[in-house]
Amino acid sequence: MLKNLLHMEGMAVLLISIYFYAVSDFSWVLFFVLLLAPDLSMLGYLKHNQFGAVIYNVFHTYVFPIVLVLVGISLLLPTLLAIGLIWFAHIGIDRSVGYGLKYPTAFKDTHLQRV
């Protein structure tokens, strides 16, 4: 039950991000180019699992997209707002399909499930 709620939460974040991105009339090319960019953080696993988990988790929490969206809105910087919304969408996709934050034991060990 709780896992399903987290999946639905991820889907809600994804849909809300896409909605605000669309009504802001941002570039869809930019959206699709950057959508998977946070997954580059997986390269941290080339060093070792613990380092990889830390780097991956930094790029898969809502903290930095929130900052980008707030700065983009407050300073009228639409590019930062667009990047923040894309980042939210990426995290929403991950959560909706069951990819969560990583434990340092292995890449497949997440807070939502073992993938």
Side-chain angles (χ1 to χ4, degrees):
M1 176 70 178
L2 289 176
K3 189 167 93 171
N4 289 336
L5 286 174
L6 291 173
H7 291 280
M8 290 187 317
E9 177 186 63
M11 183 59 70
V13 168
L14 171 62
L15 295 175
I16 290 167
S17 300
I18 290 172
Y19 171 79
F20 282 111
Y21 196 87
V23 299
S24 299
D25 202 30
F26 293 134
S27 165
W28 288 104
V29 171
L30 180 68
F31 185 88
F32 289 110
V33 166
L34 294 182
L35 185 60
L36 298 178
D39 282 340
L40 292 173
S41 62
M42 286 188 277
L43 294 174
Y45 279 90
L46 294 174
K47 185 170 181 177
H48 57 74
N49 284 347
Q50 187 172 1
F51 180 78
V54 168
I55 297 301
Y56 184 90
N57 290 342
V58 164
F59 283 92
H60 286 82
T61 60
Y62 293 116
V63 174
F64 293 110
I66 287 170
V67 170
L68 284 179
V69 167
L70 291 176
V71 170
I73 290 170
S74 63
L75 298 180
L76 301 175
L77 298 170
T79 303
L80 289 185
L81 176 57
I83 293 169
L85 290 172
I86 295 166
W87 204 340
F88 271 122
H90 174 86
I91 296 169
I93 290 170
D94 278 5
R95 298 291 195 283
S96 68
V97 297
Y99 293 111
L101 299 175
K102 306 296 184 189
Y103 289 116
T105 52
F107 180 76
K108 294 184 177 194
D109 294 337
T110 78
H111 83 284
L112 295 176
Q113 64 186 3
R114 180 161 172 79
V115 180

